[in-house]
Amino acid sequence: VQLQASGGGLVQAGGSLRLSCVASGAIFSINIMGWYRQAPGKQRELVATITSRGATNYADSAKGRFAISRDDAKNTVYLQMNSLKPEDTAVYYCSGGRIGSDRNYWGQGTQVTVSS
């Protein structure tokens, strides 16, 4: 499975960005995809996940501001980020896996920088 993330950039506080993650390869082997982020000096943390059935899960920091969605026809998962804060600044990574499995696939990161 290959994951290609895009959509990061520089935005002012209060602004919005939409990240995209295109999956290719053996995508039949994954049934959950998600977004994680890693800020400088911090551990990678979960932002949001979505299953193949559309069930979503969000970190508390993302609830009410971020929305994860998927377009199966395009093999793409999106992360719509609204009301961005400087503390959202991080490298955002797309991930895919199978529920119950330790095997995770990772895309390259995309930098999100929110200026105050």
Side-chain angles (χ1 to χ4, degrees):
V1 176
Q2 294 79 45
L3 302 174
Q4 181 72 37
S6 63
L10 173 64
V11 64
Q12 288 187 334
S16 298
L17 282 174
R18 188 178 79 158
L19 307 183
S20 300
C21 176
V22 180
S24 61
I27 57 176
F28 58 84
S29 65
I30 60 176
N31 60 9
I32 186 168
M33 293 187 69
W35 289 95
Y36 292 72
R37 68 186 184 186
Q38 187 167 18
K42 295 187 177 181
Q43 290 188 333
R44 190 172 298 189
E45 63 179 6
L46 170 72
V47 177
T49 61
I50 185 167
T51 71
S52 57
R53 295 187 176 186
T56 58
N57 180 54
Y58 294 92
D60 288 343
S61 59
K63 289 178 181 177
R65 298 187 301 127
F66 295 0
I68 190 170
S69 62
R70 58 190 296 148
D71 184 338
D72 291 336
K74 297 181 178 180
N75 295 329
T76 301
V77 172
Y78 303 99
L79 184 69
Q80 178 67 43
M81 304 187 294
N82 300 323
S83 301
L84 283 162
K85 305 175 182 180
E87 50 263 45
D88 294 317
T89 295
V91 178
Y92 283 69
Y93 296 91
C94 175
S95 174
R98 191 155 192 87
I99 297 171
S101 171
D102 292 333
R103 178 69 184 271
N104 280 323
Y105 301 93
W106 293 94
Q108 89 292 0
T110 184
Q111 176 71 46
V112 172
T113 303
V114 184
S115 63
S116 58

